[in-house]
Amino acid sequence: MFSISLSFEIVRICSHFTIHLQPYIRDMFGTKEGMLPVTENISKRTLALPFHNNLKEEEVDEVVSTLKKVVEKVKS
């Protein structure tokens, strides 16, 4: 639910948990959807927020602000 709402905001979100479905991995190892059902299920319920060592404080504030807005929308 959050990922759908956040996709309309500035904050970029993604799932790092379905690596086996990325094109490069699919090509290299022949993986496909359904091979790791638990991983795929968890990835649908997991939110990966931006984080890295060059993230500026203003960017952190933007992520937090956006997440708060989305939570408020979902609650109402």
Side-chain angles (χ1 to χ4, degrees), residues 5-72:
S5 297
L6 278 176
S7 66
F8 296 105
E9 299 291 341
I10 294 170
V11 175
R12 181 172 179 263
I13 59 165
C14 58
S15 176
H16 297 288
F17 307 105
T18 54
I19 294 170
H20 67 290
L21 298 179
Q22 300 304 313
Y24 177 78
I25 301 299
R26 282 183 176 209
D27 292 344
M28 287 294 293
F29 301 104
T31 56
K32 58 186 173 188
E33 194 167 337
M35 291 182 80
L36 299 173
V38 174
T39 300
E40 293 166 25
N41 185 298
I42 290 171
S43 74
K44 291 175 186 172
R45 299 178 284 121
T46 304
L47 187 65
L49 297 173
F51 69 96
H52 52 79
N53 61 350
N54 290 325
L55 201 59
K56 297 179 180 118
E57 191 164 343
E58 304 85 46
E59 294 170 316
V60 172
D61 292 342
E62 181 66 27
V63 170
V64 171
S65 171
T66 301
L67 188 55
K68 283 180 178 180
K69 271 197 306 190
V70 170
V71 168
E72 288 303 314

